[in-house]
Amino acid sequence: GYPLPKFVNKRSLIDCIVKGKKPVPNRASGLQSPTWKLRPLREKPYLPLDDIDWKTAIGCQKSEVGHGGVFFVKLSKGVVVLKACSDMAQQLFASTVISWLGLRSARCRVMDSHGAEAKTLFSVLRPINRLAAHKLSMMAYILVIEFFPGTSLKRLRPRDLDLMRTLRPSLGSQSCMETSCFEMGRLAAIDALLYYDGDRLPIVCQTRGNGGNMLLSPGSYQVRAIDNGANFINCNNGVSKQRANIYFQDTMAVFKAFLEHTDRVAPPMEAVRKMMHRYTSWNAPDEFLLPIQAGFIQGARDIVRTFKDITPFKRLLLLMQKVEPPIPGVYDFDLDFLQNMLKVFRMSFPPSSESKAGGTESSAPSGSKKISESSGAKPSGTTSNSVGTHAKESKEKPATAVPSSSAAPKTLPASTSASAGAVPPPPTSLKPPPSPREQVIEVSRQSPRIGLGRGPLRALNIVALQ
């Protein structure tokens, strides 16, 4: 007659059934807090992140999805997300790039697990959740992330999608579905640049996708990017170079299909339709997919205008590499892949559409060739024999110009978010003015949370452990 817990060992189950004893939970499940359970739509975020009173923690819950390294900590003033992972540098890098382009990403900073702040955190977490204190203490750094209230795209239901179709911020404005899907497309363009396409909206990679890394705020359904990442391919290795060439061809084929199908859904968007049907059993209509398609093109134009070269990425990476002990994953970046992706983005637009991109000139570097869709030029490092996934589906038609920005939803760039290290400012005028509530959290190298390297941490080789 006793209710069984979620995790129970075999001996405890036998004692419960045969001898009538109370079941004993398995130690691997940890000591969970019985007083608090996360409510994603009602909780408030704890701000600011650089001044957290950990002694006011009243609960800690492990995330139900992922690999088990994400924990939600309930404080007196709100909720904070803690994460211990081996690709921390990739998340910091991608979150900063997303904020440069005006999209809303979760603010985050790193905490030294051997510092005074971390010791206070562990002493508070051990009575509440022993598993969280153990897992977070295993890494050299802990990632402190801003909590976003809302529903992930993975957990949307048909009634939510019907509300998105009907709700409008004001009379005569576009619906929440059009605005939110347009922002999803802009975020998908950044993911394609950083080779993170397969873990969010599967437009280029054509995988199953992951709708859990994209949140929609309650009421307004504004897009929030969480669990960002950057997976660069080593272009100098033989096998990896061939893989990179295929990805370059797939990206160019997606641009060609989108520019040819401006008034109807292009073939690459069918993977997104299948992903939504798998999550919600809802056959996504064209009015859901067309704004994503238009937002992808607009996001690519913003990338081309914003980044003339890879200098901002180099500056950001150098700032992250100066941190001691090294942030996990900081030496896994290959900027040659990023440089080739910028060339692919520039070469994928015909000259007629480049002249209409926001009233500014295209940012192709000197010496690079501007080609149209009808020409057969390939990006540097690609071969003419490699065929992409979507190249077979695209028909041989001359590329049509994308409609002007008046036909696309007008987006108001959100305030920039911050990552660890002194983040350089966005390289162009696309940087929105920061509001008092959403200031960039800049953590310099002299900060006691990030510049410390005590004892054995100096000799600890994070890369070797990975």
Side-chain angles (χ1 to χ4, degrees), residues 299-460:
R301 285 201 178 99
D302 294 340
I303 291 172
V304 170
R305 286 197 303 262
T306 304
F307 304 110
K308 309 296 181 181
D309 50 23
I310 61 173
T311 302
F313 303 107
K314 286 183 178 179
R315 190 183 305 120
L316 175 61
L317 185 58
L318 288 175
L319 288 174
M320 295 172 59
Q321 290 177 350
K322 291 180 180 179
V323 179
E324 291 293 338
I327 301 176
V330 74
Y331 293 106
D332 297 340
F333 291 91
D334 186 6
L335 295 183
D336 293 338
F337 173 81
L338 192 58
Q339 186 174 7
N340 290 331
M341 281 302 300
L342 288 176
K343 292 180 181 179
V344 170
F345 272 55
R346 295 189 189 98
M347 295 168 63
S348 299
F349 289 104
S352 58
S353 64
E354 286 181 356
S355 60
K356 298 180 181 181
T360 59
E361 296 180 356
S362 176
S363 58
S366 59
S368 64
K369 298 180 180 180
K370 299 179 182 179
I371 64 169
S372 61
E373 294 295 328
S374 59
S375 62
K378 308 293 180 182
S380 61
T382 61
T383 59
S384 59
N385 294 329
S386 59
V387 180
T389 306
H390 309 300
K392 299 179 181 179
E393 301 177 359
S394 302
K395 299 180 181 179
E396 297 296 333
K397 295 181 181 180
T400 57
V402 179
S404 60
S405 58
S406 60
K410 297 181 180 179
T411 59
L412 296 176
S415 300
T416 56
S417 60
S419 303
V423 178
T428 63
S429 59
L430 285 180
K431 177 184 177 182
S435 61
R437 180 178 176 83
E438 298 178 346
Q439 292 290 339
V440 177
I441 306 173
E442 296 184 354
V443 184
S444 62
R445 290 189 295 113
Q446 291 77 18
S447 175
R449 294 189 183 94
I450 197 171
L452 296 180
R454 292 191 177 94
L457 285 181
R458 290 187 179 274
L460 185 61

Side-chain angles (χ1 to χ4, degrees), residues 181-221:
C181 291
F182 187 80
E183 292 298 312
M184 292 181 195
R186 294 185 63 212
L187 181 60
I190 305 176
D191 292 336
L193 175 70
L194 303 178
Y195 193 51
Y196 197 66
D197 180 84
D199 207 15
R200 203 137 28 202
L201 293 181
I203 296 178
V204 178
C205 293
Q206 294 290 290
T207 58
R208 290 174 58 88
N210 186 4
N213 292 339
M214 190 181 303
L215 291 181
L216 298 177
S217 60
S220 60
Y221 295 100

Side-chain angles (χ1 to χ4, degrees), residues 154-188:
K154 186 177 182 178
R155 298 186 179 275
L156 283 181
R157 294 296 176 259
R159 63 176 181 272
D160 298 324
L161 299 169
D162 293 337
L163 283 175
M164 291 177 63
R165 185 188 291 113
T166 56
L167 288 179
R168 299 177 184 272
S170 60
L171 185 63
S173 62
Q174 294 173 339
S175 64
C176 292
M177 176 176 288
E178 295 175 351
T179 306
S180 301
C181 291
F182 187 80
E183 292 298 312
M184 292 181 195
R186 294 185 63 212
L187 181 60

Side-chain angles (χ1 to χ4, degrees), residues 27-294:
R27 286 186 178 183
S29 64
L31 181 61
Q32 300 292 334
S33 172
T35 59
W36 177 73
K37 186 176 181 180
L38 178 68
R39 297 176 296 178
L41 297 179
R42 298 184 180 181
E43 302 293 347
K44 296 181 180 180
Y46 190 102
L47 294 175
L49 290 180
D50 55 349
D51 187 15
I52 300 178
D53 187 7
W54 297 109
K55 295 181 179 180
T56 61
I58 59 176
C60 180
Q61 179 179 336
K62 184 174 73 69
S63 176
E64 298 178 355
V65 296
H67 299 287
V70 179
F71 297 91
F72 300 95
V73 180
K74 173 65 176 178
L75 302 161
S76 60
K77 296 182 180 179
V79 179
V80 174
V81 184
L82 300 179
K83 186 174 183 180
C85 56
S86 59
D87 59 345
M88 191 177 300
Q90 283 80 357
Q91 296 195 29
L92 296 173
F93 187 90
S95 299
T96 306
V97 175
I98 291 174
S99 66
W100 281 348
L101 294 172
L103 292 172
R104 188 70 169 90
S105 177
R107 299 182 182 93
C108 51
R109 68 175 175 91
V110 292
M111 180 199 306
D112 187 5
S113 60
H114 285 243
E117 183 183 9
K119 292 180 180 179
T120 304
L121 171 64
F122 296 151
S123 64
V124 173
L125 285 184
R126 284 190 185 97
I128 299 175
N129 193 322
R130 188 169 56 247
L131 177 65
H134 173 71
K135 283 197 171 184
L136 293 175
S137 61
M138 296 296 291
M139 301 295 293
Y141 289 113
I142 303 171
L143 196 61
V144 184
I145 310 174
E146 178 186 5
F147 172 76
F148 276 148
T151 306
S152 65
L153 190 64
K154 186 177 182 178
R155 298 186 179 275
L156 283 181
R157 294 296 176 259
R159 63 176 181 272
D160 298 324
L161 299 169
D162 293 337
L163 283 175
M164 291 177 63
R165 185 188 291 113
T166 56
L167 288 179
R168 299 177 184 272
S170 60
L171 185 63
S173 62
Q174 294 173 339
S175 64
C176 292
M177 176 176 288
E178 295 175 351
T179 306
S180 301
C181 291
F182 187 80
E183 292 298 312
M184 292 181 195
R186 294 185 63 212
L187 181 60
I190 305 176
D191 292 336
L193 175 70
L194 303 178
Y195 193 51
Y196 197 66
D197 180 84
D199 207 15
R200 203 137 28 202
L201 293 181
I203 296 178
V204 178
C205 293
Q206 294 290 290
T207 58
R208 290 174 58 88
N210 186 4
N213 292 339
M214 190 181 303
L215 291 181
L216 298 177
S217 60
S220 60
Y221 295 100
Q222 296 179 357
V223 178
R224 302 288 186 260
I226 62 171
D227 198 9
N228 307 304
N231 304 314
F232 297 157
I233 305 176
N234 186 7
C235 298
N236 299 323
N237 191 5
V239 179
S240 300
K241 184 177 182 180
Q242 183 179 3
R243 179 184 169 194
N245 292 339
I246 295 176
Y247 185 75
F248 297 153
Q249 293 292 331
D250 288 348
T251 306
M252 295 187 70
V254 167
F255 279 115
K256 183 177 180 180
F258 283 179
L259 292 173
E260 289 178 353
H261 301 77
T262 57
D263 55 346
R264 59 187 187 277
V265 176
M269 294 299 299
E270 295 300 326
V272 181
R273 195 196 300 269
K274 292 180 181 179
M275 184 191 74
M276 294 301 301
H277 186 269
R278 185 175 71 252
Y279 287 150
T280 63
S281 300
W282 179 67
N283 191 14
D286 292 350
E287 62 176 331
F288 180 84
L289 300 177
L290 281 176
I292 299 179
Q293 186 172 314

